[in-house]
Amino acid sequence: IEVSHVWLSNGRMENCVIQGAEGNCAKTGNYGLNVYVSGSGVVTNCTISSGHGKLYACRGANLAVVNGLVVDCTIENGKCDRYGFGANVYISGGRLLRCRVTGGLGSSNHLNADRSCGGGVYATGGVVESCLIQGNQVQNAGYQGGCEGAGIYVAEAATIVNCSVVGNSTLAGDKGAAMETGIGISVNHASAKIVNTILFNNGGTLEKEYGTVNRDRFMCCASAVANSSDAGNKTMSAADFDRDHPDDFVLSGASPLVDAGTDSTDWVPATMDEFDFYGSARKSGPQYDIG
């Protein structure tokens, strides 16, 4: 593990700005070039930006979370040049809560099968909760397979709950775009959970918004292009959107996704309950929705 700026395994870091870490990642991969959180570390109200993983595999050019809590942070403008796993965030345990993840770019400049996944978040475990994942991208310069999950790429049994995944895309010139699915969220594990989450404007088709496989992993989610036969037992709905705001992703007042919050005991380990923030509001565009 190579960390340029902060490795926090205990204690608390708050109200900080951490930016600009670069690393020529080894083939085995480095974690969290700007910030690496493990153990019982807590990061709150920080801006983590402009991490740049070069050459080979990088797991979270801005932030890697393998345990602990990252809450109320902005993670932005991370970049992986080749075969990256989460240009902004890599999470394998712990919790990413009420964060804004934006401007990440996972790219592959290699001509073989190397590809980058998760321009915003690459999740193999842990919980991503009440976050705005917006404006992240992937780009594949190779010719074998496509990059996936510009917003979120779920590789294993992670949980995504109460999130808004909006406006993520492939970068112009992407050579694998015809093969890419799940630009909003790409789910690649049968034990993943995507709960009470909004997907909108990530490519505009069913395949681009939330992929072609594991649609039964989506529970009580909403997408502007969903229909009653998608995502398992009719759990995705386009009717939850406010028809007076067709170009926005604001939920209608009658939507079942709008409620007074939950203690999340179904989604996080009991040891994390003290960080629950019961019933907290989440930012959704210019307005606040209750997750």
Side-chain angles (χ1 to χ4, degrees), residues 132-135 151 163-169 183-185 197-205 208-210 221-226 236-238 240-242 245-251 284:
L132 176 63
I133 316 295
Q134 184 175 30
C163 290
S164 294
V165 183
V166 296
N168 302 284
S169 63
I183 297 302
I185 298 179
T197 286
I198 300 168
L199 296 103
F200 181 75
N201 196 27
N202 299 295
T205 65
K208 295 295 184 182
E209 292 295 326
Y210 51 94
C221 294
S223 174
V225 297
M236 295 196 75
S237 173
D240 291 324
F241 288 88
D242 190 336
H245 301 86
D247 297 322
D248 204 350
F249 48 94
V250 177
L251 295 176
S284 180

Side-chain angles (χ1 to χ4, degrees), residues 136-258:
N136 302 282
Q137 295 180 308
V138 287
Q139 181 185 41
N140 183 24
Y143 299 94
Q144 301 181 39
C147 301
E148 295 180 32
I152 303 175
Y153 186 94
V154 185
E156 296 182 33
T159 295
I160 315 298
V161 60
N162 296 353
C163 290
S164 294
V165 183
V166 296
N168 302 284
S169 63
T170 55
L171 191 64
D174 187 293
K175 290 182 171 27
M179 296 172 282
E180 289 158 2
T181 67
I183 297 302
I185 298 179
S186 180
V187 178
N188 296 275
H189 198 280
S191 296
K193 294 179 181 178
I194 317 297
V195 183
N196 195 35
T197 286
I198 300 168
L199 296 103
F200 181 75
N201 196 27
N202 299 295
T205 65
L206 299 175
E207 289 75 18
K208 295 295 184 182
E209 292 295 326
Y210 51 94
T212 59
V213 298
N214 293 311
R215 287 181 173 175
D216 60 335
R217 299 293 84 205
F218 291 80
M219 307 167 209
C220 301
C221 294
S223 174
V225 297
N227 62 54
S228 61
S229 64
D230 285 311
N233 189 22
K234 299 183 180 180
T235 54
M236 295 196 75
S237 173
D240 291 324
F241 288 88
D242 190 336
R243 296 182 184 276
D244 293 331
H245 301 86
D247 297 322
D248 204 350
F249 48 94
V250 177
L251 295 176
S252 67
S255 170
L257 283 80
V258 178

Side-chain angles (χ1 to χ4, degrees), residues 129-130 161-162 195-197 219-220 251-264 267 277-282 288-291:
E129 182 175 355
S130 298
V161 60
N162 296 353
V195 183
N196 195 35
T197 286
M219 307 167 209
C220 301
L251 295 176
S252 67
S255 170
L257 283 80
V258 178
D259 58 44
T262 174
D263 62 6
S264 300
W267 317 116
F277 302 101
Y278 181 90
S280 298
R282 62 188 170 102
Y288 285 88
D289 285 335
I290 299 299

Side-chain angles (χ1 to χ4, degrees), residues 12 40 42 69 95 97-98 263 265 268-278:
R12 178 184 294 264
S40 59
V42 176
L69 172 70
R95 195 171 181 195
L97 175 65
R98 295 205 313 263
D263 62 6
T265 53
V268 297
T271 55
M272 302 282 292
D273 284 350
E274 63 183 293
F275 298 123
D276 226 351
F277 302 101
Y278 181 90

